[in-house]
Amino acid sequence: MLSVRNSAPKHINIIINSTIYLFIVYYELYCISFIERKFSLKHVKRFFLIPLLLSIISYFFITNSESSRIATMSLSVSIMYMLSSYVLLTKKGKTKIQHLTGFIFGIISILILTRTIGALYINGVEMYSKNYIMVIPLVFFLILNLIFPLLLIFILKEKDNLKLSQVIKSKDKFFSIIAHDLKGPLGGLQQIGELLWLNNITDEKREKLTKSLYQNSKTTFNLLDNLLKWANTNAGVIIYKPNQLNLSKIILSNINLFNSQVKLKNINLSCNFEQDLFVYADYDMVDTIIRNLISNAIKFTTTNGKIEIILEEFDTNKNICTVAIVDNGVGINKETQLKIFEINSTISTFGTNNEKGTGLGLKLCKEFLTINKGSIKIKSNLKKGTCMSISLPIENK
């Protein structure tokens, strides 16, 4: 700022200095308000325009007098602090220390506004004026700015503690699911194995036991697969690698995967579209989502039932592709629908053939869709069926 003071023309000098000063203040407030730990070039590009715009607007109100320049710059800074105060005091999910910071920002905004008024109504005010109306707000402003680093440290610590608490809860949930839901299928497999080992059972009984063995092993495999992926997602092991994917091929591949289960229950599983549907998402995550939703539909559809995968919406203007898995199965009650995607809720129900589940599959679907900037909706009526709609972006925008 000092280097361009005498080298650049006066008007350009004012805009450059104003922009640099406003940007520094704005970026500091942004980092504290939204807890940005690292300097990000992406944010610099995004938020550089706002200080530049304020600086250009301020320039038109700046005359040759020092007092009007002080007033304009102080007013711009006051507005910034007021906006940050509003964000910290009104937005959900903020911690107590962030709320305290919001109050401090509000006080600073009022102090700087006082300096603005002083610069406008006191004659002959200069940048380093000793008038108490100009000095007192500046002194308090500097003192409070010295507190910001401490506040930021406490905010980060509080955020880390909350995150750690959530991780511990997720870990406890993970182990409780393993302890509860693996015990049943594995115990069932052991019992079936013991019965099949006996030679004095009828062929009819052997066939039933073999069918149960298949269902139990399939359930156990799906459970382990979902648990592993859910644990990896929470641990940050799964890496999000989006690409242009052909959603139709993924759906058809999963339909073929469930051929044997569909035949066992004599279910009509079909897809009402054949054209290629390209979406921008991670292949493994989308494949897991489709597999879980089809598996759930089969589980809760009665023998001789029907499952249809339909294209609900494909809008390039909205950048959205919505596909629904619709069944005419047992349906889901309203109370369960409200809790079905919550990780802290334990909803484990049996399918129409007593297939056991954990309710983890749908939670995993929601997490994966959120990562892929998508969404999931559920519509269901008891004894009439369920419609699970998933939306994904068509392009990377």
Side-chain angles (χ1 to χ4, degrees), residues 25-292:
V25 174
Y26 185 87
Y27 196 77
E28 177 194 27
L29 293 174
Y30 167 80
C31 290
I32 294 173
S33 300
F34 297 97
I35 312 301
E36 288 293 334
R37 293 172 181 269
K38 296 180 181 180
F39 185 80
S40 170
L41 186 61
K42 178 182 71 175
H43 292 138
V44 171
K45 291 177 181 177
R46 184 186 303 171
F47 296 105
F48 182 77
L49 294 174
I50 295 173
L52 179 61
L53 183 64
L54 279 173
S55 179
I56 293 170
I57 293 171
S58 300
Y59 170 77
F60 291 103
F61 296 95
I62 294 173
T63 62
N64 292 327
S65 67
E66 193 81 7
S67 60
S68 62
R69 191 177 304 172
I70 295 169
T72 307
M73 291 298 294
S74 297
L75 181 62
S76 298
V77 174
S78 177
I79 291 169
M80 288 183 181
Y81 273 96
M82 187 57 72
L83 290 173
S84 292
S85 175
Y86 175 80
V87 169
L88 289 168
L89 292 174
T90 59
K91 294 294 182 181
K92 293 181 179 179
K94 301 297 182 185
T95 64
K96 291 180 181 179
I97 298 175
Q98 284 179 294
H99 279 104
L100 174 62
T101 308
F103 282 114
I104 293 174
F105 281 178
I107 293 168
I108 289 175
S109 178
I110 294 168
L111 288 171
I112 298 174
L113 190 61
T114 304
R115 184 176 165 84
T116 304
I117 295 168
L120 287 173
Y121 290 98
I122 298 172
N123 295 325
V125 171
E126 296 181 354
M127 187 66 70
Y128 302 104
S129 175
K130 295 180 180 179
N131 189 294
Y132 72 94
I133 295 178
M134 302 297 293
V135 173
I136 292 175
L138 189 61
V139 169
F140 276 102
F141 170 71
L142 293 173
I143 291 171
L144 290 171
N145 263 277
L146 293 173
I147 300 172
F148 287 163
L150 293 174
L151 285 172
L152 189 57
I153 289 169
F154 284 123
I155 289 169
L156 291 172
K157 186 177 179 181
E158 194 172 21
K159 282 280 186 182
D160 287 340
N161 288 340
L162 286 172
K163 189 175 180 180
L164 180 62
S165 177
Q166 290 172 353
V167 170
I168 292 171
K169 285 181 181 178
S170 296
K171 176 183 70 67
D172 292 341
K173 181 71 176 176
F174 177 72
F175 283 115
S176 68
I177 289 171
I178 292 176
H180 180 269
D181 292 294
L182 280 181
K183 185 178 179 180
L186 289 174
L189 288 172
Q190 183 182 3
Q191 290 176 358
I192 293 168
E194 288 174 357
L195 291 170
L196 286 172
W197 183 260
L198 300 173
N199 294 320
N200 59 344
I201 58 172
T202 63
D203 290 339
E204 185 181 353
K205 183 71 173 178
R206 192 180 297 276
E207 186 180 347
K208 287 182 179 179
L209 288 172
T210 305
K211 183 179 177 181
S212 297
L213 180 65
Y214 168 77
Q215 288 178 342
N216 266 24
S217 59
K218 186 76 175 177
T219 300
T220 306
F221 174 80
N222 289 336
L223 171 61
L224 285 171
D225 186 52
N226 281 335
L227 284 170
L228 181 61
K229 286 180 178 176
W230 180 76
N232 286 340
T233 303
N234 281 271
V237 176
I238 291 181
I239 300 172
Y240 170 57
K241 294 180 179 178
N243 287 296
Q244 286 296 132
L245 308 176
N246 191 335
L247 186 59
S248 299
K249 288 187 177 180
I250 295 174
I251 290 170
L252 292 173
S253 174
N254 277 281
I255 288 175
N256 292 330
L257 182 68
F258 287 99
N259 270 338
S260 56
Q261 284 182 258
V262 168
K263 287 178 181 178
L264 281 172
K265 297 181 78 171
N266 195 30
I267 293 172
N268 180 17
L269 173 59
S270 63
C271 181
N272 81 332
F273 56 89
E274 295 181 357
Q275 75 271 28
D276 291 337
L277 292 178
F278 287 95
V279 295
Y280 187 79
D282 182 279
Y283 178 87
D284 291 330
M285 292 185 187
V286 172
D287 187 51
T288 301
I289 292 164
I290 298 299
R291 187 170 69 252
N292 271 288

Side-chain angles (χ1 to χ4, degrees), residues 13 149 295 385:
N13 170 34
S295 175

Side-chain angles (χ1 to χ4, degrees), residues 247 273 277-279 311-316 318-323 375 390-394:
L247 186 59
F273 56 89
L277 292 178
F278 287 95
V279 295
L311 176 62
E312 285 190 338
E313 183 181 14
F314 191 86
D315 193 326
T316 53
K318 294 180 182 178
N319 191 37
I320 190 170
C321 173
T322 304
V323 171
S375 61
I390 60 165
S391 298
L392 287 163
I394 298 170

